[in-house]
Amino acid sequence: MIDFYYGPTSNGRKIAIMLEETGLDYRVRFIDILNGDQFDPAFLKISPNNKQPAILDHDGPGGRALAMFESGAILIYLAEKTGLLMPTDPQRRYHCLQWLMFQMSGIGPMFGQLHHFNHYARDKIPYAIERYRNEADRLRRVLNAQLTGRQFIVDEYSIADIACYPYVKGFRDRYPTPFDASAIDRWLDRMEARPAVLSGFNLRSADVRPEVRGEKPLDQHSWDALYGRLQHKPR
Ligand SMILES: N[C@@H](CCC(=O)N[C@@H](CS)C(=O)NCC(=O)O)C(=O)O
């Protein structure tokens, strides 16, 4: 049994999709990051960086419990645990890890900063918005080129696709590409033909708060939790 510390965000959804794909037994421990659940001392023991997703696998390596945070590391762990969704051919395996890191170090942080400065930031700083918008577009050009002529990022469906999907999907309508991204669009369709991608992406999506959907500004408590006093309090 895996305890899955989760909220319906792009990073959380990667692991939700992976758990659905692999059929592992899991139960959701809901983490409401707008409420500050990520600072609960019991959660911090599992995820000391105060972020979801995280897992506690009661049946980890050697039969001992294993706690993990960082979605990329969790994806590798679950792929190795199940023998699924990571290529076995050595060349493809390293390419899969390379594109996983491209998501973790590029798409995740750059898209995240774009959304922060464009949506959440109280001061709208044109330079910051333009800088991250340009990076998000550049990264999507790179991904579109990689997907041109391929079914999936490293040909076979893998954790690299699972890592990229929630961000690329989530940003598609909000921040349309200023170029023809038809290889990405066709890949999104292929991803969405997989029931586990849909069920994982939609896991507890009814709990997405109106503040996250852009329908309401963050209240002071949520602001403090994500960006203010509570977030930066020494622990
Ligand atoms: N690099 C981390 C990022 C995780 C992350 O940024 N999680 C966000 C939600 S998408 C979070 O929990 N934020 C709460 C906080 O920063 O206090 C990963 O890939 O797991």
Side-chain angles (χ1 to χ4, degrees):
M1 169 65 75
I2 293 177
D3 281 318
F4 175 32
Y5 296 85
Y6 169 76
T9 66
S10 295
N11 287 307
R13 285 172 161 146
K14 298 175 198 171
I15 306 307
I17 293 171
M18 185 65 178
L19 288 167
E20 289 288 304
E21 286 283 8
T22 54
L24 287 162
D25 205 11
Y26 72 93
R27 66 186 161 206
V28 172
R29 304 288 192 193
F30 194 72
I31 301 292
D32 182 350
I33 57 174
L34 269 62
N35 186 46
D37 294 358
Q38 66 273 37
F39 305 110
D40 180 330
F43 178 64
L44 287 172
K45 285 204 176 114
I46 289 170
S47 183
N49 195 30
N50 62 261
K51 294 189 194 299
Q52 62 83 20
I55 58 166
L56 176 61
D57 184 358
H58 295 277
D59 182 25
R64 289 174 33 229
L66 176 72
M68 286 191 82
F69 64 100
E70 280 297 330
S71 59
I74 298 170
L75 287 173
I76 295 170
Y77 170 65
L78 295 176
E80 290 187 339
K81 178 182 171 83
T82 57
L84 297 170
L85 301 177
M86 177 127 75
T88 48
D89 170 73
Q91 293 265 348
R92 277 209 187 153
R93 177 184 146 83
Y94 289 118
H95 283 148
C96 170
L97 292 172
Q98 163 189 284
W99 285 100
L100 176 65
M101 299 305 154
F102 166 83
Q103 192 289 316
M104 294 299 298
S105 62
I107 288 183
M110 296 301 140
F111 284 33
Q113 293 300 330
L114 168 59
H115 197 52
H116 175 77
F117 283 106
N118 189 55
H119 176 65
Y120 289 115
R122 287 171 172 173
D123 300 332
K124 297 289 183 267
I125 306 165
Y127 174 80
I129 296 170
E130 193 189 343
R131 153 90 183 136
Y132 292 113
R133 177 76 211 223
N134 285 341
E135 269 299 283
D137 290 342
R138 189 187 64 77
L139 290 160
R140 286 186 292 187
R141 277 200 176 86
V142 173
L143 182 63
N144 195 63
Q146 176 65 12
L147 283 166
T148 301
R150 289 188 176 83
Q151 297 283 306
F152 294 104
I153 295 173
V154 290
D155 293 307
E156 68 191 83
Y157 178 57
S158 75
I159 54 174
D161 300 287
I162 293 177
C164 290
Y165 174 77
Y167 274 99
V168 176
K169 166 75 180 173
F171 278 65
R172 186 82 186 102
D173 296 335
R174 224 158 180 171
Y175 302 96
T177 52
F179 60 92
D180 172 19
S182 48
I184 288 180
D185 291 339
R186 285 192 298 272
W187 168 77
L188 289 174
D189 289 343
R190 276 192 289 279
M191 294 294 287
E192 285 156 18
R194 301 185 67 88
V197 169
L198 295 181
S199 55
F201 188 84
N202 290 317
L203 182 68
R204 296 204 52 167
S205 56
D207 291 308
V208 176
R209 301 259 218 113
E211 293 88 327
V212 174
R213 287 198 302 266
E215 293 159 9
K216 224 174 121 182
L218 290 178
D219 65 19
Q220 192 57 44
H221 177 72
S222 299
W223 178 269
D224 282 345
L226 290 179
Y227 308 119
R229 202 178 38 82
L230 197 52
Q231 176 69 229
H232 297 113
K233 187 172 129 186
R235 295 186 165 78

